[in-house]
Amino acid sequence: MKVKNISNPEEFLKVIDSCEGRVELITDDGDRLNLKSKLCQLVSLSTIFSSVAKIPEMEIVAHELEDSKKIMDYLMRG
């Protein structure tokens, strides 16, 4: 799923942390970063935030249906 305009990355990462299954960030190069890993969170978000104030767009893959629903619920409520 494409995720756009995340203005509160800390809250977004709390939602990711609450997911039961694997959640991955797909980079522009096609690499898959495990967003449940604190190291990957730090590396990926520090790279994204080096030039912008909010995350404009990224592709996320949640391997569990309930996790996808949880992420979508967060995105819908803002």
Side-chain angles (χ1 to χ4, degrees), residues 25-33:
L25 167 67
I26 311 298
T27 68
D28 291 337
D29 296 328
D31 296 326
R32 291 176 174 255
L33 302 175

Side-chain angles (χ1 to χ4, degrees), residues 8 16-18 21 24 26 28 30 33-34 36 42 44 48-49 51 60-62 65-67 72:
N8 188 343
I16 297 298
D17 288 339
S18 72
E24 298 171 324
I26 311 298
D28 291 337
L33 302 175
N34 178 7
K36 301 273 303 216
L42 179 65
S44 61
I48 292 169
F49 278 112
S51 61
I60 299 288
V61 175
L65 180 59
E66 290 301 316
D67 294 341
M72 289 300 293

Side-chain angles (χ1 to χ4, degrees), residues 5 8 12-13 19 25 27 31 35 38 46-47 56 63 68-69 72 77:
N5 299 322
N8 188 343
F12 178 70
L13 290 177
C19 291
L25 167 67
T27 68
D31 296 326
L35 282 182
K38 293 298 181 188
S46 66
T47 301
H63 291 267
S68 293
K69 290 178 182 178
M72 289 300 293
R77 64 181 165 87

Side-chain angles (χ1 to χ4, degrees), residues 7 31 45 70:
S7 58
D31 296 326
L45 293 181
K70 189 181 292 188

